[in-house]
Amino acid sequence: MSEVQAAQVASIDLNKGETANEDLVDPWNVQSSSATGVDYDKLIVRFGSTPIDDELIQRIERVTGKPAHPFLKRGIFFSHREMHKILDLHEQKKPFYLYTGRGPSSEAMHMGHLIPFVFTKWLQETFDVPLVIQMTDDEKYLWKDISMEEVKRVALENVKDIISLGFDVEKTFIFCDLNYIGQCPGFYQVIVQIQKHVTFNQVKGIFGFGDSDCIGKISFPAIQAAPSFSIAFPQIFNGRRNIPCLIPCAIDQDPYFRMTRDVAPRINLPKPALLHSIFFPALQGATSKMSASDQNSCILLTDTPNQIKNKINKYAFSGGQATVEEHKEKGGNCDIDVSFQYLKFFLEDDQKLEKIRQEYTSGELLTGHLKKELIGVLQQIVGSIQEKRKAITDEVAQEFMTPRKLKFDY
């Protein structure tokens, strides 16, 4: 079975799951009926990916000579496609590059949007490789009720947020589709090659497009696939078409890249490798939908310290018991407690995280104290990003977004 066929089967299975109280996961929707969230073991089986196990984590540490990122050790990045091949390349001192992206649907990014970028930054610094970041402003124009001018404005604001995480301008190229497709003929040529090798029936099967969807949606998957190939960036890779790509992304984006990996051999280009992350839960818990348009469902990068405190205290779903007495007797459930789940993403100290887990599970630590710990962590992270964001001008953003050679030779 080809990866496109596997993607179609996975899409059909997931849609069936929606009626069977199972998980629905596609590039635009994530729904779970369980308070513990998506069943990632089932998702790995449906998508046909490979679990990230201790052996792979140990090999990453051995090959890089550096400790694995907490996102790997804590199972936040939990699945992969051909990561061992990327490690082979690094051992052989052969090049590869990183590609990730963002769909700019709202001016203010939220904490969940940071996950792929925080991890990608670690990968870039650990392996010392080029990074391309795609801003799919065209996708948001096609899917949302938003003007062309507004989506371009929002994309620029999101670019500034991403830069404020500390990416190196000499090693990072950020581009918006609406601009780059016109700036680089090579990029559009790759898109057309991909489009020629994927049928209408295949994209309908993978992405669930209907007869009433605009033709822009049907052609878009090829645009998200194109940055997987080095030939799409001739200015960076000196026209080379054989430099492999590693894509860190949330698991809901995998259908795009199963399609990409299926097409790659037919256009004589290397298949991209992938690292998949779990989903960041909404404040109200795993069964709710997090959206930047619902400001009470998430912590925004523009939130003040007081807003962060109030949102966590008021909305963060608790795994604790109904009363203090009952909590001390029975303990809390870290698997459904949003404050603990957020700490699992953002508290760097492994020993402290484990101590909190044990004390909350035993009932020694109360929900209010757990929330207080999280509030302090998030206030520090958001405050630091906001301070760095002040220095990111339009000119700084333009420097990252100008097609150019990076600090690598090919």
Side-chain angles (χ1 to χ4, degrees):
M1 182 185 293
S2 74
E3 292 195 48
V4 161
Q5 291 170 320
Q8 289 174 295
V9 169
S11 177
I12 292 167
D13 285 347
L14 287 167
N15 289 330
K16 283 180 180 175
E18 185 182 11
T19 61
N21 290 323
E22 292 187 6
D23 303 324
L24 170 66
V25 178
D26 64 32
W28 307 280
N29 301 285
V30 177
Q31 295 176 8
S32 175
S33 59
S34 169
T36 57
V38 170
D39 187 327
Y40 293 104
D41 290 335
K42 285 185 178 180
L43 207 55
I44 284 174
V45 173
R46 286 175 179 169
F47 282 8
S49 59
T50 304
I52 292 176
D53 55 16
D54 289 340
E55 180 187 352
L56 177 58
I57 294 172
Q58 290 166 12
R59 188 180 176 208
I60 290 171
E61 293 186 327
R62 194 167 60 248
V63 166
T64 64
K66 298 180 181 180
H69 194 279
F71 286 179
L72 286 168
K73 293 186 287 185
R74 297 175 187 176
I76 289 168
F77 275 81
F78 71 102
S79 163
H80 75 101
R81 294 186 188 278
E82 298 193 312
M83 183 60 191
H84 281 292
K85 288 192 176 181
I86 296 295
L87 295 175
D88 291 344
L89 291 171
H90 188 69
E91 284 185 318
Q92 297 161 11
K93 301 192 182 330
K94 293 181 179 178
F96 71 93
Y97 72 101
L98 295 165
Y99 155 43
T100 194
R102 158 86 181 127
S105 58
S106 58
E107 181 172 340
M109 290 172 60
H110 59 61
M111 296 300 290
H113 294 142
L114 296 185
I115 305 309
F117 294 108
V118 168
F119 188 61
T120 298
K121 184 171 181 284
W122 177 81
L123 288 169
Q124 183 183 37
E125 292 171 349
T126 300
F127 290 98
D128 191 27
V129 291
L131 164 64
V132 297
I133 298 175
Q134 180 184 44
M135 307 297 292
T136 56
D137 48 1
D138 51 344
E139 176 200 20
K140 294 309 172 186
Y141 176 75
L142 292 167
W143 262 265
K144 303 279 186 178
D145 183 16
I146 185 170
S147 70
M148 187 76 73
E149 293 73 22
E150 179 64 6
V151 78
K152 290 169 79 170
R153 186 190 70 80
V154 167
L156 179 60
E157 294 306 310
N158 284 191
V159 167
K160 293 176 183 177
D161 287 339
I162 293 166
I163 293 170
S164 68
L165 297 178
F167 288 101
D168 186 341
V169 69
E170 294 187 330
K171 299 180 180 181
T172 306
F173 174 50
I174 305 176
F175 64 98
C176 293
D177 288 340
L178 290 172
N179 288 332
Y180 189 60
I181 290 175
Q183 290 173 323
C184 179
F187 188 54
Y188 184 60
Q189 289 170 24
V190 175
I191 292 169
V192 173
Q193 288 181 69
I194 297 166
Q195 289 172 339
K196 186 173 182 177
H197 289 84
V198 182
T199 69
F200 179 45
N201 278 339
Q202 285 173 330
V203 292
K204 282 203 299 182
I206 296 169
F207 300 102
F209 297 141
D211 293 341
S212 298
D213 281 314
C214 70
I215 59 173
K217 290 184 179 181
I218 296 155
S219 62
F220 174 75
I223 298 173
Q224 184 157 321
S228 308
F229 304 118
S230 60
I231 194 64
F233 306 98
Q235 73 280 8
I236 298 175
F237 300 107
N238 199 27
R240 286 182 60 178
R241 55 188 289 120
N242 62 341
I243 310 241
C245 175
L246 172 62
I247 306 169
C249 63
I251 187 71
D252 62 329
Q253 298 301 300
D254 188 66
Y256 285 110
F257 301 114
R258 292 201 300 276
M259 182 198 80
T260 307
R261 285 169 51 83
D262 189 80
V263 168
R266 287 183 275 151
I267 56 177
N268 195 28
L269 294 171
K271 291 183 178 183
L274 287 103
L275 290 167
H276 302 123
S277 74
I278 63 174
F279 302 115
F280 193 74
L283 282 173
Q284 288 80 0
T287 59
S288 328
K289 181 176 173 58
M290 181 167 58
S291 170
S293 59
D294 177 4
Q295 298 195 5
N296 293 326
S297 72
C298 58
I299 302 298
L300 300 169
L301 298 187
T302 53
D303 281 346
T304 65
N306 203 44
Q307 285 174 320
I308 292 171
K309 178 182 176 181
N310 290 338
K311 284 184 181 182
I312 297 299
N313 282 331
K314 187 173 182 180
Y315 297 111
F317 185 81
S318 171
Q321 305 300 331
T323 65
V324 171
E325 293 74 18
E326 189 179 356
H327 183 82
K328 287 182 176 179
E329 178 189 347
K330 298 180 179 178
N333 184 347
C334 288
D335 291 337
I336 65 172
D337 190 284
V338 165
S339 295
F340 182 81
Q341 294 303 315
Y342 279 26
L343 286 173
K344 191 174 174 183
F345 281 89
F346 291 114
L347 181 63
E348 292 185 5
D349 189 326
D350 288 335
Q351 291 183 333
K352 188 172 183 179
L353 182 69
E354 177 57 20
K355 184 172 184 286
I356 289 171
R357 188 193 67 77
Q358 290 179 1
E359 291 181 352
Y360 192 64
T361 302
S362 70
E364 181 182 348
L365 184 69
L366 300 177
T367 298
H369 293 122
L370 178 60
K371 288 188 173 186
K372 184 178 179 181
E373 183 70 42
L374 174 64
I375 288 164
V377 170
L378 294 185
Q379 286 175 336
Q380 192 280 323
I381 293 172
V382 172
S384 175
I385 291 172
Q386 289 175 356
E387 192 59 34
K388 293 172 183 173
R389 177 71 158 73
K390 293 175 184 176
I392 311 299
T393 62
D394 287 358
E395 290 72 27
V396 171
Q398 191 55 51
E399 191 177 355
F400 274 87
M401 297 170 72
T402 299
R404 67 203 186 280
K405 184 181 184 299
L406 300 180
K407 196 178 180 179
F408 300 91
D409 290 320
Y410 295 97

